[in-house]
Amino acid sequence: ITVDLERYRIRPGESVDLATRATDDTQGLSDSDEVDDQFDEHLDALDDLQERLYAQGSQSLLFVFQAMDAGGKDSSIRKVFGPLNPQGVRVWSFKVPSKKEAAHDYLWRIHRRAPGDGYIGVFNRSHYEAVLVEKVLDLAPADRVAKRYTQINDFERLLSDEGTTVVKVMLHISKAYQLERFKRRLRKPDKFWKFNPSDLDTRALWDDYMAAFEVALSRCSTVHAPWYVIPAENRWFRNLALAQLVRETLERMDPQFPPPDFDPAAYPPDSLV
Amino acid sequence: ITVDLERYRIRPGESVDLATRATDDTQGLSDSDEVDDQFDEHLDALDDLQERLYAQGSQSLLFVFQAMDAGGKDSSIRKVFGPLNPQGVRVWSFKVPSKKEAAHDYLWRIHRRAPGDGYIGVFNRSHYEAVLVEKVLDLAPADRVAKRYTQINDFERLLSDEGTTVVKVMLHISKAYQLERFKRRLRKPDKFWKFNPSDLDTRALWDDYMAAFEVALSRCSTVHAPWYVIPAENRWFRNLALAQLVRETLERMDPQFPPPDFDPAAYPPDSLV
């Protein structure tokens, strides 16, 4: 089972209309044992690829997740990156900047968390908040926000040039779907901690956020750091698509076990004491 | 199935003779479906406990792993902490200190990596290297090493007083078992990257390392930060014991979902739009 991921990739400079992009697409697939098996097969492949990446220790992978509240960032990260070796994965959540972080430019805290050689970095929200919430809420002057798309592209090119493969994912849901998720959280006391009344303020600005996403997707999907808009309402499909995307990305990176830095012939196993 | 973990806990001040502590103990259990089921049951419980810990956001857990090479630190961490939500777990490996790290006291780099509120931190090697390898290889003056046990206890007490539960595990293997693991690595080109000829130099000093471990275990197993010496040659037993240890530790911490910081009655689900 192969998902057509190209359908979700934003071409550099392409104008993006999120309203025309399905949030519940499954490419004709249905939730089935075959899909589960395919997902598990992706995880097995990822296991091997990650071990090689870590052993090789000369390149790294960065996956960026953005979505509206209840878009499934947390559960996507858990499902797709959770099964990997936790020693080689670092997940960073970027919330409202701390006082110290806010005293620096908006890429400072991001750059510090970029993955090192051999590692997979996962960002739950990212520098894109600087052209999403900061734009929508006028937290930064418009002329500064206007410069950020180029700054972000330059920054991601730096990472790419220096050995980090960058892939960005927007988990795409509808406003109606978000409503159902919010209701669900408010029906379960165990989920109250995931709800914040300010989420409703953000929801009220849905169209503004979609417009900000569209500009960011169009201007910052590059050859070296593409954006994918993944339909995220069917979780099994979202997980399948993401696992395939991570796998294909790592396969293109083609990590190899490094040559030993010793002469194996000098250490015949049976001579060890 | 309950493992008697007290058998492996070092009492504060207890003199430790590692040669008398089994490396292949299974407490009469054998590898079976029942053991697998019990392990899975622990993981399910950990899942819930971790979500509460993260949601509560007011205390944290630190697990420290130390072992000789091939003792199973990597695979233990993967098996027991891998299934948790990667967003709430940070695994840090402490290798030879970088130039910058070495320019500070030996606890500086450790303290920076201590888990924040709501997080589980896992250390693959730790500040104990300062009383193990640095002692055995005379990398630090003996009078400075002598002071470190108290410094470490004070440091761990600080963490504990401020909300971090600290548990330390030595994965205990025999010298003969290590030999078999080394041979295995040298027979598989895919595993060459895990082997370093310097591992043999360390192996040659096995007895010195055991003596250094014995002092550290005896002097630094405290009520607030106990050491456990877990028999690690039977991996299924090791995993079972560790999962139970993490679970019991979190159960004692008893994390609870926080009260909502809003009035749920003010947000009836069906009124949301």
Side-chain angles (χ1 to χ4, degrees):
Chain A
I1 301 176
T2 304
V3 174
D4 176 11
L5 292 169
E6 279 301 290
R7 199 185 292 188
Y8 307 132
R9 184 169 67 86
I10 306 299
R11 270 84 190 148
E14 176 183 352
S15 87
V16 178
D17 179 1
L18 285 168
T20 64
R21 290 186 167 260
T23 53
D24 58 358
D25 187 21
T26 64
Q27 302 199 359
L29 296 170
S30 51
D31 194 2
S32 63
D33 289 346
E34 288 71 32
V35 164
D36 288 348
D37 291 346
Q38 181 61 69
F39 181 75
D40 289 342
E41 206 256 308
H42 286 324
L43 292 187
D44 285 344
L46 286 175
D47 198 67
D48 176 61
L49 287 160
Q50 185 198 15
E51 187 180 16
R52 290 168 182 270
L53 183 77
Y54 190 82
Q56 183 184 43
S58 63
Q59 52 179 337
S60 57
L61 173 61
L62 173 61
F63 253 78
V64 171
F65 284 92
Q66 290 283 162
M68 296 298 281
D69 290 321
K73 297 186 297 298
D74 288 17
S75 73
S76 295
I77 291 169
R78 169 144 207 194
K79 281 288 177 189
V80 178
F81 294 92
L84 298 182
N85 189 337
Q87 279 196 90
V89 180
R90 299 236 186 281
V91 183
W92 299 106
S93 295
F94 293 96
K95 311 189 182 196
V96 176
S98 69
K99 200 170 168 184
K100 181 180 170 183
E101 290 171 342
H104 295 267
D105 70 79
Y106 66 97
L107 289 173
W108 181 81
R109 65 173 182 159
I110 305 296
H111 208 158
R112 298 180 74 200
R113 302 310 191 194
D117 288 341
Y119 282 82
I120 297 175
V122 182
F123 287 176
N124 185 337
R125 304 184 190 270
S126 67
H127 43 302
Y128 282 92
E129 295 292 317
V131 291
L132 295 170
V133 63
E134 294 195 28
K135 181 182 191 181
V136 171
L137 298 186
D138 282 326
L139 300 177
D143 62 323
R144 279 174 69 178
V145 171
K147 291 179 181 168
R148 287 179 175 173
Y149 304 99
T150 304
Q151 291 161 351
I152 287 173
N153 288 342
D154 291 346
F155 168 65
E156 292 176 356
R157 178 181 292 283
L158 166 75
L159 296 183
S160 169
D161 285 348
E162 292 284 322
T164 301
T165 296
V166 181
V167 177
K168 300 166 298 193
V169 171
M170 178 195 185
L171 298 171
H172 190 28
I173 59 170
S174 67
K175 198 175 176 187
Y177 177 86
Q178 188 192 53
L179 185 63
E180 291 313 306
R181 302 298 297 184
F182 279 1
K183 287 182 180 177
R184 190 162 167 272
R185 288 179 183 180
L186 284 166
R187 285 194 185 102
K188 294 188 177 182
D190 274 12
K191 301 294 174 193
F192 283 172
W193 69 278
K194 291 193 172 185
F195 181 80
N196 189 314
S198 72
D199 295 345
L200 297 177
D201 301 333
T202 305
R203 174 173 171 76
L205 297 167
W206 186 276
D207 292 345
D208 295 333
Y209 275 97
M210 289 304 111
F213 261 112
E214 287 169 351
V215 178
L217 292 165
S218 175
R219 295 202 48 187
C220 298
S221 193
T222 57
V223 172
H224 60 275
W227 267 108
Y228 290 82
V229 178
I230 304 285
E233 294 185 8
N234 293 294
R235 293 176 160 219
W236 60 269
F237 180 77
R238 172 201 76 187
N239 296 341
L240 180 69
L242 288 172
Q244 184 185 318
L245 179 57
V246 180
R247 179 183 181 171
E248 288 181 358
T249 303
L250 277 165
E251 283 174 346
R252 273 195 299 272
M253 292 168 70
D254 194 25
Q256 299 294 331
F257 288 112
D261 51 8
F262 60 95
D263 175 12
Y267 297 91
D270 292 326
S271 74
L272 296 192
V273 289
Chain B
I1 301 175
T2 305
V3 174
D4 176 12
L5 292 169
E6 279 301 291
R7 199 184 294 187
Y8 307 133
R9 184 169 67 84
I10 305 298
R11 272 83 192 151
E14 176 183 351
S15 86
V16 178
D17 179 1
L18 285 167
T20 64
R21 291 187 166 259
T23 53
D24 60 357
D25 187 21
T26 64
Q27 301 200 358
L29 296 170
S30 51
D31 194 3
S32 64
D33 289 346
E34 288 72 31
V35 163
D36 289 348
D37 291 346
Q38 180 62 68
F39 180 76
D40 290 342
E41 207 256 307
H42 286 324
L43 292 186
D44 286 344
L46 286 176
D47 199 67
D48 176 60
L49 288 160
Q50 185 199 13
E51 187 181 14
R52 290 168 182 270
L53 184 78
Y54 190 82
Q56 182 185 45
S58 63
Q59 52 180 338
S60 57
L61 174 61
L62 173 60
F63 254 78
V64 170
F65 284 90
Q66 290 283 162
M68 296 297 283
D69 290 322
K73 297 186 297 300
D74 288 16
S75 73
S76 295
I77 292 169
R78 168 141 208 196
K79 281 288 178 187
V80 178
F81 295 93
L84 298 181
N85 188 335
Q87 280 195 91
V89 179
R90 299 236 188 282
V91 183
W92 299 106
S93 295
F94 293 96
K95 309 188 183 194
V96 176
S98 69
K99 200 169 168 185
K100 181 180 171 183
E101 289 171 341
H104 295 268
D105 70 80
Y106 66 97
L107 289 173
W108 181 83
R109 65 174 183 158
I110 304 296
H111 208 158
R112 299 180 73 201
R113 303 309 190 194
D117 288 342
Y119 282 81
I120 297 175
V122 182
F123 286 177
N124 185 337
R125 304 185 189 269
S126 67
H127 42 304
Y128 283 92
E129 294 292 317
V131 291
L132 295 170
V133 63
E134 293 194 28
K135 181 182 190 180
V136 170
L137 298 187
D138 282 326
L139 300 178
D143 61 323
R144 281 174 67 179
V145 170
K147 291 178 180 169
R148 288 179 174 174
Y149 304 100
T150 304
Q151 292 162 350
I152 287 173
N153 288 342
D154 292 346
F155 169 65
E156 292 176 357
R157 178 181 293 282
L158 165 75
L159 296 183
S160 169
D161 285 348
E162 293 285 321
T164 301
T165 297
V166 181
V167 177
K168 300 166 296 193
V169 170
M170 177 195 185
L171 298 171
H172 190 28
I173 59 169
S174 66
K175 197 175 177 187
Y177 177 86
Q178 187 192 55
L179 184 64
E180 290 314 305
R181 302 299 298 183
F182 278 1
K183 286 182 180 175
R184 190 162 167 272
R185 288 179 183 180
L186 284 167
R187 285 196 185 102
K188 293 187 177 182
D190 274 11
K191 300 296 175 192
F192 282 172
W193 68 279
K194 292 193 171 186
F195 182 81
N196 189 313
S198 73
D199 296 346
L200 298 177
D201 301 333
T202 305
R203 175 174 170 77
L205 296 167
W206 186 276
D207 293 344
D208 296 332
Y209 275 97
M210 289 303 111
F213 262 113
E214 287 169 350
V215 177
L217 292 165
S218 175
R219 295 202 49 186
C220 298
S221 194
T222 57
V223 171
H224 60 274
W227 267 109
Y228 290 82
V229 178
I230 303 285
E233 294 185 8
N234 293 293
R235 293 175 160 220
W236 60 269
F237 180 77
R238 173 201 74 187
N239 296 341
L240 180 69
L242 288 172
Q244 183 185 320
L245 179 57
V246 180
R247 178 182 182 172
E248 288 181 358
T249 304
L250 278 164
E251 284 174 346
R252 272 196 300 271
M253 293 167 70
D254 195 26
Q256 298 294 330
F257 288 113
D261 51 8
F262 60 95
D263 174 13
Y267 297 92
D270 291 325
S271 74
L272 295 193
V273 289

